[in-house]
Amino acid sequence: MLTEYELQALLLSLKISSVAVLVSLPFGVACAWLLARGKFIGKSLLDGLVHLPLVLPPVVIGYLLLVLLGRQGVIGKALYEWFGLTFSFSWRGAVIAVAVVSFPLMVRSIRLALESVDSKLEQAARTLGASPLKVFFTITLPLTIPGILTGAILAFARALGEFGATITFVSNIPGETQTIPLAMFSFIQTPGAEQQAARLCVIAIVIALSSLLASEWLTRKARKRLNAQ
């Protein structure tokens, strides 16, 4: 049985990861579309910036977020003074941290799905008088659903396992920012808490594996439905 402390970390992890995926999904679709279909100066730079969190140490990402969105940060100071909004040392900041780290996985999956859509279908719709916006929502987006589902679930799984950016930007506060990886870190540093750390380790593995299996199942189901149509 999980203790209240462990259950709190589990529920907070699910909450933060879910909100991060929901908030970043529209931006992920837009960014993937720009990279897959857009032709503009600076496209390579945008591609590099989107995928930069994959190669940067998570601690560096957390530090940059702290510099930008901290209470005295470049952007964070204005947000706090004008709107009373703060991200550092709060669960909202944890959402931003895990969203930034998991964003490249989401964009990559959706971009691959967009690139696999047959452009002849879109061209045929345009010749029949459909506007670009209607073509996107009635043809492109439905055909991209398997990639969107895969990207969202992969981002969710990655968000659950995020540690470095989170602890750097929002610290390790029980009940506020302490997710499963941060709770495990606390248990590992506490003598005699090996059993609690092992329980959270098993839970993290089960959730991550379930997410990957769910991603595969949903992708197959969506593809079968699209092929049936």
Side-chain angles (χ1 to χ4, degrees):
M1 295 294 294
L2 294 177
T3 64
E4 183 179 353
Y5 185 86
E6 296 164 349
L7 183 60
Q8 191 178 57
L10 172 60
L11 295 178
L12 188 60
S13 293
L14 296 175
K15 172 186 174 182
I16 289 173
S17 300
S18 300
V19 174
V21 171
L22 290 175
V23 170
S24 60
L25 188 58
F27 299 98
V29 173
C31 190
W33 186 87
L34 282 175
L35 294 175
R37 302 295 176 84
K39 295 180 181 179
F40 54 92
I41 298 175
K43 181 178 177 179
S44 298
L45 178 60
L46 176 62
D47 191 17
L49 290 175
V50 168
H51 291 89
L52 192 60
L54 287 178
V55 294
L56 277 179
V59 175
V60 173
I61 298 174
Y63 174 75
L64 292 175
L65 289 174
L66 192 61
V67 170
L68 291 173
L69 298 175
R71 183 73 65 86
Q72 299 299 322
V74 177
I75 302 174
K77 185 176 181 179
L79 291 175
Y80 180 71
E81 291 178 352
W82 295 348
F83 306 105
L85 187 62
T86 180
F87 292 102
S88 56
F89 309 110
S90 72
W91 73 272
R92 293 184 295 273
V95 168
I96 294 177
V98 301
V100 170
V101 173
S102 60
F103 191 70
L105 294 176
M106 177 186 294
V107 172
R108 188 169 183 82
S109 297
I110 299 174
R111 179 182 180 180
L112 291 174
L114 283 168
E115 291 175 344
S116 66
V117 173
D118 190 353
S119 60
K120 294 180 180 179
L121 297 175
E122 299 172 322
Q123 293 173 1
R126 292 193 191 98
T127 58
L128 294 174
S131 65
L133 196 61
K134 186 175 182 181
V135 171
F136 176 78
F137 282 104
T138 59
I139 296 178
T140 308
L141 192 61
L143 293 175
T144 315
I145 286 177
I148 294 175
L149 291 175
T150 301
I153 296 177
L154 286 177
F156 176 80
R158 178 64 185 88
L160 281 174
E162 169 50 33
F163 173 81
T166 306
I167 197 170
T168 305
F169 182 39
V170 297
S171 189
N172 187 4
I173 306 172
E176 182 67 27
T177 65
Q178 189 177 70
T179 56
I180 290 177
L182 273 63
M184 283 188 61
F185 178 74
S186 297
F187 283 137
I188 292 172
Q189 291 185 315
T190 303
E194 293 81 5
Q195 186 176 1
Q196 292 92 324
R199 279 203 299 265
L200 289 181
C201 178
V202 172
I203 291 172
I205 293 173
V206 170
I207 294 176
L209 184 59
S210 300
S211 299
L212 294 175
L213 293 175
S215 171
E216 182 67 20
W217 180 77
L218 288 172
T219 300
R220 289 181 180 179
K221 189 174 181 180
R223 285 176 178 170
K224 286 182 180 180
R225 183 173 295 179
L226 289 174
N227 291 334
Q229 294 175 355

